[in-house]
Amino acid sequence: MPELPEVETVRRGLEPVLVGQQIKHVQQRRADLRFPFPPDFVSRLKGRKVEALRRRAKYMLAELDDGAVLIMHLGMSGRFYIVAPNGQATAPDTRVYDSAHPEEIGEGKHDHVVFDLANGARVVYCDPRRFGLMTLSDRDSLEDHPLLAAMGVEPTGNALTPDYLNTAFRDKKTPIKAALLDQRIIAGLGNIYVCEALFYAGISPKRLAKSIPGKRSARLTEAIRTVIRRAIEAGGSSLRDYVQTDGELGYFQHEFAVYGREGEKCVAKGCSGMVKRIVQSGRSSFYCPKCQR
DNA sequence: AGGGGGACCTGTGCGC
DNA sequence: TGCGCACAGGTCCCCC
């Protein structure tokens, strides 16, 4: 259930397993996820070596030794499981997997893609809802790929500045909540971290985007940067534990200030407000009406 | 042209 | 225990 910090956590977990390894064998266990796999998906991956594993927004990009790029997205429910070369089982769901039988990992109902690497490691992509995707592109034309071409700035990058937001939000009559979820402006923010960033910036999710410029866009820029960086750090620390214990990648516990806390007391110092849940463009927004204006 | 709402899927948790 | 409903961290596409 990944937003950008989870995707980055997954990337960091997969990087040492995948990079430098040859893909010996690939099982593609159904024809499609969110949309069909490329027709020659398995044959184009087999025998390739992974040279790098990068991330753009919520996409993971595996660069292969023939110039191809494997584009992967986790959707809402995508996970990766790893079986280490020594056979150490690393699946989280004990009802489905028995760690005494790591070879069974990849046999689950929602295990759609299985990579077997030259060093004996196995990497499994599991995605119950199948909103994720895998496809292939070329390194040279990657930026023009339809999935990536229109994407906005990274939330932790230097390109995210108050000025950038001022320009992007000028004349926008949509609520700031919706504008922040627009991947063409900032790429990689999802529902949770938009709620969290707006809380730390003290901005109501209902406020119109065009009313942000000024003090608020400075606070918002800082809040986005900080909330994402902190979540990546938290993912990084939980990742260390996970990899040693069960190896599940794609999910970590995180403390949220407002998300999922409807009816609870606002955590801001000295605020007596109560977290409220409203629905905006079909999705839940959590906020404190008292300190978010 | 931009933005809201539905569509795509399965699983889970809750109230009755 | 079972059923039906609401809801879930994403994104695309269509229509107004």
Side-chain angles (χ1 to χ4, degrees), chain A residues 102-124:
Chain A
E103 72 279 4
E104 289 175 8
I105 294 178
E107 298 296 312
K109 187 177 170 187
H110 301 298
D111 295 341
H112 306 309
V113 184
V114 180
F115 302 96
D116 285 306
L117 307 177
N119 67 355
R122 166 172 278 201
V123 172
V124 179

Side-chain angles (χ1 to χ4, degrees), chain A residues 63-110:
Chain A
E63 296 184 355
L64 308 179
D65 61 356
D66 63 348
V69 178
L70 170 60
I71 302 177
M72 299 175 277
H73 196 291
L74 301 172
M76 294 275 264
S77 55
R79 307 266 176 99
F80 277 98
Y81 307 142
I82 299 169
V83 186
N86 63 9
Q88 200 78 327
T90 59
D93 190 336
T94 52
R95 286 170 305 176
V96 177
Y97 302 111
D98 177 354
S99 61
H101 297 281
E103 72 279 4
E104 289 175 8
I105 294 178
E107 298 296 312
K109 187 177 170 187
H110 301 298

Side-chain angles (χ1 to χ4, degrees), chain A residues 268-282:
Chain A
K269 258 194 198 109
C271 179
S272 59
M274 197 183 250
V275 177
K276 196 174 166 189
R277 183 178 84 94
I278 59 172
V279 175
Q280 294 178 286
S281 44

